[in-house]
Amino acid sequence: FDVNPDRARTELNALKSVAAGTFNDVKDFIFDLRPMMLDDLGAVPTLRRYVESFQEKNGISVPITVTGVERRVESHIEVTIFRGVQELLTNALAHAQATQIQVALDLAQDHVQATVEDNGSGFNGDDTLKANNNTIGLASLRERIEMLGGEINIQSSLGHGTRVQFSIPITTERY
């Protein structure tokens, strides 16, 4: 400040801007790891907020449709739903370069079903899942869903996008 006050102000403003950006990045990182909303409000509000944030960050419209009776389900199922949709959105954008993505969540009486569909580059089905380390997220998702007694269906072909649907059984108890 003593030598060049204008330059010092400029550098200080730049530093404040970088600090604010870093703070927002850390906040987003923490939300992506384990959003507190998930424990407090459940999967549906948390997914809506995540999709909204995803749209803002990536400049892509992602409509989300929720059907069935909106309610809480077991915590480990809510985490799996959130993580699954999060993984599928990331894949659609990062690996498939999708320009359109849709998310649907159906809370039926005895199961919850999530669908993520994109218009990205697609891939060549099970061969790709077995051979490519880039699909470790999908293989892990499949494993988590099957451990919960659920099913996952992946439909994809080169140049025609991808549709992933998973279903997890739930109890009828209210949480």
Side-chain angles (χ1 to χ4, degrees):
F1 274 105
D2 293 338
V3 176
N4 188 340
D6 290 335
R7 182 172 179 201
R9 278 188 193 86
T10 301
E11 288 183 20
L12 187 56
N13 285 334
L15 182 60
K16 284 171 37 179
S17 178
V18 168
T22 301
F23 175 74
N24 284 331
D25 290 345
V26 169
K27 189 173 73 172
D28 290 345
F29 181 71
I30 290 169
F31 181 84
D32 290 350
L33 280 177
R34 174 72 182 203
M36 287 185 282
M37 274 182 76
L38 194 54
D39 293 328
D40 296 340
L41 302 176
V44 175
T46 305
L47 274 175
R48 283 190 173 123
R49 174 64 190 109
Y50 180 77
V51 167
E52 180 182 300
S53 174
F54 183 88
Q55 292 178 110
E56 290 171 9
K57 277 190 232 175
N58 299 298
I60 183 171
S61 176
V62 182
I64 181 169
T65 305
V66 178
T67 56
V69 178
E70 195 172 314
R71 65 192 184 281
R72 298 294 305 265
V73 295
E74 296 174 57
S75 177
H76 63 280
I77 293 173
E78 289 184 332
V79 170
T80 302
I81 294 164
F82 177 78
R83 289 284 176 239
V85 172
Q86 183 182 42
E87 173 74 22
L88 295 171
L89 285 173
T90 300
N91 287 352
L93 192 64
H95 302 299
Q97 293 80 41
T99 59
Q100 296 175 349
I101 308 170
Q102 298 179 154
V103 176
L105 189 64
D106 179 34
L107 292 138
Q109 180 72 21
D110 61 348
H111 70 279
V112 62
Q113 181 173 288
T115 306
V116 177
E117 191 167 358
D118 70 63
N119 70 340
S121 59
F123 56 91
N124 197 7
D126 286 336
D127 293 339
T128 302
L129 286 173
K130 291 175 187 168
N132 192 341
N133 286 339
N134 289 338
T135 61
I136 195 163
L138 285 177
S140 175
L141 178 59
R142 173 178 277 162
E143 186 176 296
R144 285 179 288 172
I145 290 167
E146 289 175 352
M147 282 176 35
L148 295 173
E151 298 176 350
I152 185 168
N153 181 351
I154 302 170
Q155 299 171 330
S156 188
S157 61
L158 289 174
H160 291 70
T162 301
R163 182 177 196 269
V164 179
Q165 186 172 68
F166 63 88
S167 178
I168 302 170
I170 56 175
T171 62
T172 56
E173 290 181 45
R174 305 279 178 183
Y175 288 87

